[in-house]
Amino acid sequence: MSEASHDEQDAAPAGERIHMPAPSLLPLLNAIGLALAIVSITLTPILLIAGLVLFGVTAAIWIRDSVRETKHLPLEHE
């Protein structure tokens, strides 16, 4: 069997659906929280804590949602 025919067999069939994550504001809110925390290091501890809380909460929700979406994906190609 030639190398080219071996690669063609491993490729996904034409027209197979590609999984795309659902639209979300979580990455934006996560970045805002991190930016707020970094900028507020020199300003005030209240904003630092608010930024870290926003970052932590959005990161946890984002990870939880990603794990939940990934569990529903098929392991094998259709």
Side-chain angles (χ1 to χ4, degrees):
M1 181 180 284
S2 71
E3 186 67 33
S5 64
H6 179 66
D7 289 341
E8 290 172 5
Q9 291 176 346
D10 291 342
E16 183 174 336
R17 294 186 347 211
I18 298 174
H19 172 73
M20 295 295 293
S24 175
L25 288 176
L26 287 173
L28 177 65
L29 294 174
N30 191 267
I32 289 171
L34 184 59
L36 179 64
I38 290 171
V39 169
S40 65
I41 288 173
T42 59
L43 298 176
T44 177
I46 295 171
L47 286 177
L48 174 64
I49 293 170
L52 289 175
V53 167
L54 179 60
F55 175 76
V57 168
T58 56
I61 294 171
W62 191 6
I63 291 168
R64 184 197 66 200
D65 290 348
S66 296
V67 169
R68 188 178 298 154
E69 279 187 24
T70 304
K71 284 183 180 179
H72 294 295
L73 294 176
L75 296 176
E76 299 292 327
H77 291 291
E78 293 176 1

